[in-house]
Amino acid sequence: MIDQAIDEAATGHDEATHSSANPFFAFHVFVCTNRRPDTHPRGSCAARGSERLRDYMKVRAKELGIASVRVNTAGCLDRCELGPCVVVYPQGVWYRVQNTADVDRVLAEHLAGSNPPRDLMLPP
Amino acid sequence: MIDQAIDEAATGHDEATHSSANPFFAFHVFVCTNRRPDTHPRGSCAARGSERLRDYMKVRAKELGIASVRVNTAGCLDRCELGPCVVVYPQGVWYRVQNTADVDRVLAEHLAGSNPPRDLMLPP
């Protein structure tokens, strides 16, 4: 697997890679929990409740029994204005999750389902 | 792009996805900075110096002018025994970086190069 990962990583990100195709976590979710002062013009994900949403996502992913998912805390993902921001790798799909209902939809429709919620995705 | 991301995310991670092929960041690097008590049997990445290595990687990536790279802080990546752990997405390549020389090699040989350093990769 390491050999394949090396060969494929070496090809860059223009082609499928074995490491992406058979990742250590099928869904590695990063939730931005960066907090800026309330007066900062960009705002911040934590100020919009992302810590609570991360905690909820961790619990619900486990309760739902979704295989090979890890929900991680992340520092600033640099898309602050669009937050609270979440990115799911290796698929590289970005979401704005504003409340627990949005988290439920990402879990059910993307991670446990096959219909990632388009209306929650961040613009390119 | 959103349409493609949806279609391809829906296919799961067995095939190339447009979102992985044309990601928001070409290299999204997550450095575990989780810290456990020094007596914890698994150890922790921060106890092994990962915060300093993250800071160094951020600075060096910028100095090298690597395009479309973001180095992020991450919470526990759950591979503590192998740390300090770093994962590069969307490629999904995991590294153990023990010092600034290791960081330099990941930057030069993988992110800026085409020969990801095999000896620094984590076992599958």
Side-chain angles (χ1 to χ4, degrees):
Chain A
M1 183 172 173
I2 286 184
D3 282 343
Q4 288 172 305
I6 295 166
D7 292 344
E8 291 156 357
T11 67
H13 42 84
D14 294 322
E15 298 178 26
T17 67
H18 184 76
S19 44
S20 288
N22 295 291
F24 190 75
F25 299 116
F27 300 105
H28 202 166
V29 182
F30 293 91
V31 181
C32 176
T33 59
N34 188 51
R35 182 180 294 278
R36 289 209 186 87
D38 289 343
T39 53
H40 194 287
R42 294 188 76 188
S44 67
C45 292
R48 297 190 185 100
S50 67
E51 293 161 316
R52 186 178 66 92
L53 296 170
R54 172 207 54 199
D55 294 343
Y56 177 79
M57 197 172 200
K58 280 177 177 276
V59 170
R60 284 299 292 152
K62 191 167 287 187
E63 286 176 348
L64 291 168
I66 302 170
S68 191
V69 59
R70 185 164 183 86
V71 179
N72 257 112
T73 296
C76 179
L77 298 172
D78 204 24
R79 305 188 75 178
C80 315
E81 297 83 354
L82 301 170
C85 290
V86 167
V87 58
V88 183
Y89 280 115
Q91 296 83 6
V93 179
W94 291 73
Y95 292 106
R96 178 189 209 185
V97 291
Q98 298 185 267
N99 48 51
T100 57
D102 289 348
V103 172
D104 283 336
R105 290 190 56 206
V106 171
L107 291 170
E109 297 171 29
H110 182 166
L111 277 60
S114 57
N115 189 27
R118 169 185 188 153
D119 56 302
L120 299 182
M121 289 186 190
L122 296 194
Chain B
M1 183 172 174
I2 286 184
D3 282 343
Q4 288 172 304
I6 295 166
D7 292 344
E8 291 155 356
T11 67
H13 42 83
D14 294 322
E15 297 178 26
T17 67
H18 184 77
S19 43
S20 287
N22 294 291
F24 189 75
F25 298 117
F27 300 105
H28 202 166
V29 182
F30 293 91
V31 182
C32 176
T33 58
N34 189 49
R35 183 179 294 278
R36 288 209 186 86
D38 288 343
T39 54
H40 194 286
R42 295 188 75 187
S44 67
C45 292
R48 298 191 185 99
S50 66
E51 292 160 315
R52 186 178 66 91
L53 296 170
R54 172 209 53 200
D55 293 343
Y56 177 79
M57 196 172 201
K58 279 177 178 276
V59 170
R60 284 299 292 152
K62 191 167 289 188
E63 286 176 349
L64 291 168
I66 302 171
S68 191
V69 59
R70 185 163 183 87
V71 179
N72 255 112
T73 296
C76 179
L77 298 173
D78 204 24
R79 306 189 75 179
C80 315
E81 298 82 354
L82 303 170
C85 290
V86 167
V87 58
V88 182
Y89 281 116
Q91 296 84 4
V93 178
W94 291 73
Y95 292 105
R96 179 188 208 186
V97 291
Q98 298 184 267
N99 48 53
T100 56
D102 289 348
V103 171
D104 283 337
R105 290 191 57 207
V106 171
L107 291 170
E109 298 172 27
H110 183 164
L111 277 60
S114 57
N115 189 27
R118 169 185 187 152
D119 56 301
L120 300 182
M121 290 186 189
L122 296 194

